[in-house]
Amino acid sequence: MNSSFPLPPPELAARIGGSYEEYGAIAEAHRRYVESMLPEGWSFAGKSVLDFGCGLGRTMAAFESRSAEADFSGCDIHAPSIEWASRAMSPPFRFFTCQDSPPLPVDADSFDLVYAMSVFTHITDAWSAWLVELHRVMRSQGVAIISVLGPAMAHQILGHEWDERIGMAIVDLHKGWDIGGPDVLLSDWWIREHWGRAFEILAVQHAVDRGGHDLVVIRKRDVKVSREELEAIRPAEEVREREALEVNVELLAEQLSSLGSIAQPAAPDTKALEETVAALREQLAAIEGGRSWRLTAPLRAAAARWRQLRAGPLRRA
Ligand SMILES: C[S@@+](CC[C@H](N)C(=O)[O-])C[C@H]1O[C@@H](n2cnc3c(N)ncnc32)[C@H](O)[C@@H]1O
């Protein structure tokens, strides 16, 4: 790696994805993504930067040469990673742990630049809460560069082509962060429609290579924002939103039923799983009949059920 920092222990690095041999190359690639997506004329001089979901500070390591001109902080929910990074890379960098829901332990208007590599790729129900929180901690006109999973990841995640109905679709909701977390697919229009209420969308750059992440560049709008506002469905977008919800429920029902077949016949919880699938099907029917838009509750129930199953004999690597 082109930095003076040591490599982390392999067992910690395993958690953040990517091969250990390529640890430094991945860090460099992330730095290049961030630097290449900064608005024209942007300078690091005197700026305050947050690596949100920094893991072991892999990407920050590649910013070592910038640390003399800008203040870099990294936060993550994984305390052992933050402890290692603090020992190995602080100073010049600052690290702090955070919870899996806001707030961050920092003041409002703290950062000029936030970047999040492979973090919003896995944040499910909490997406709107985290966008509201990033909006809070960003300075006026602050910029964020966020990697997301788009069409280039369809084969890897769905096993088939991108479905044009996708808005925000969640796959492998049951996967814990220790094995990569759930996968969240996001389409261009959905980002513009929902994220665009809090942030100006400066760019959505689609990955050219299959398996690559898309990059979203946003600038803080000086408006008051709330979760409800970001999540709301505008009447003008109802058709597209309904299709997006339908595909999400279809994917979720598919996954639940495959998990159901893995569970049989020994798992004691099959009945509860079947009930969850039935609730989801009912929800889908309600959406198809135009009777309900509220998917959040069954999604949360399914997630809770999966977490319980994970903790039990069904845990999959
Ligand atoms: C795939 S790893 C990427 C780590 C780092 N960004 C990198 O590219 O090296 C995703 C990281 O996001 C962290 N994470 C997940 N949810 C988070 C949250 N709500 N706040 C902060 N970090 C989070 C995970 O603990 C994990 O370290």
Side-chain angles (χ1 to χ4, degrees):
M1 172 147 70
N2 290 333
S3 84
S4 64
F5 305 117
L7 280 175
E11 57 285 7
L12 277 181
R15 198 187 151 266
I16 57 169
S19 86
Y20 192 61
E21 289 67 38
E22 288 174 317
Y23 188 90
I26 295 169
E28 274 301 321
H30 286 181
R31 184 194 58 74
R32 276 198 306 276
Y33 294 151
V34 171
E35 295 215 3
S36 69
M37 298 304 286
L38 287 168
E40 224 182 299
W42 206 88
S43 153
F44 277 94
K47 297 282 171 38
S48 187
V49 181
L50 174 67
D51 183 332
F52 176 67
C54 67
L56 294 152
R58 177 170 58 181
T59 306
M60 292 166 80
F63 276 110
E64 185 176 19
S65 64
R66 294 278 188 203
S67 64
E69 50 181 331
D71 278 335
F72 282 79
S73 300
C75 69
D76 204 283
I77 53 175
H78 190 239
S81 294
I82 290 296
E83 277 157 26
W84 180 85
S86 304
R87 276 197 309 273
M89 297 168 62
S90 182
F93 302 126
R94 201 171 69 88
F95 293 94
F96 59 93
T97 45
C98 60
Q99 305 302 311
D100 60 6
S101 50
L104 293 173
V106 290
D107 293 339
D109 307 317
S110 289
F111 300 106
D112 303 287
L113 172 67
V114 175
Y115 64 83
M117 295 290 125
S118 303
V119 183
F120 276 84
T121 45
H122 310 289
I123 290 182
T124 58
D125 283 347
W127 69 271
S128 52
W130 277 116
L131 283 187
V132 169
E133 179 62 359
L134 292 186
H135 186 274
R136 181 184 76 82
V137 299
M138 283 164 71
R139 295 200 171 125
S140 175
Q141 298 296 301
V143 170
I145 298 173
I146 296 177
S147 82
V148 299
L149 305 176
M153 291 295 289
H155 277 269
Q156 194 165 314
I157 290 172
L158 301 171
H160 54 73
E161 289 298 316
W162 180 258
D163 187 321
E164 288 304 328
R165 295 173 301 162
I166 288 174
M168 175 180 171
I170 299 165
V171 182
D172 283 345
L173 192 55
H174 63 290
K175 261 170 57 185
W177 278 106
D178 49 345
I179 50 168
D183 291 316
V184 176
L185 295 164
L186 284 170
S187 70
D188 203 322
W189 71 261
W190 202 94
I191 290 168
R192 291 181 190 279
E193 173 64 21
H194 292 275
W195 295 24
R197 296 169 193 173
F199 300 93
E200 189 186 342
I201 312 294
L202 300 183
V204 178
Q205 180 176 285
H206 290 289
V208 234
D209 301 324
R210 194 181 263 197
H213 291 192
D214 293 352
L215 290 171
V216 183
V217 187
I218 58 182
R219 177 153 46 211
K220 176 175 173 168
R221 287 186 196 281
D222 291 329
V223 291
K224 267 199 172 338
V225 291
S226 68
R227 285 193 78 168
E228 293 68 32
E229 275 167 63
L230 296 195
E231 290 177 8
I233 289 163
R234 290 191 307 140
E237 293 295 331
E238 279 207 359
V239 173
R240 203 153 59 164
E241 296 275 12
R242 193 183 68 206
E243 286 177 354
L245 291 177
E246 276 171 8
V247 75
N248 208 358
V249 174
E250 284 168 24
L251 284 171
L252 210 51
E254 244 174 56
Q255 294 161 66
L256 269 173
S257 51
S258 67
L259 196 57
S261 63
I262 295 166
Q264 288 184 28
D269 235 350
T270 309
K271 191 167 180 304
L273 192 62
E274 279 164 4
E275 280 167 14
T276 312
V277 175
L280 273 171
R281 294 225 165 94
E282 211 172 282
Q283 189 70 42
L284 184 56
I287 290 165
E288 280 163 356
R291 297 198 304 276
S292 166
W293 284 106
R294 301 298 302 167
L295 265 184
T296 321
L299 278 173
R300 291 205 174 113
R305 174 60 51 205
W306 262 326
R307 276 183 208 116
Q308 278 174 15
L309 287 169
R310 255 189 85 239
L314 289 180
R315 189 187 162 112
R316 291 190 299 177

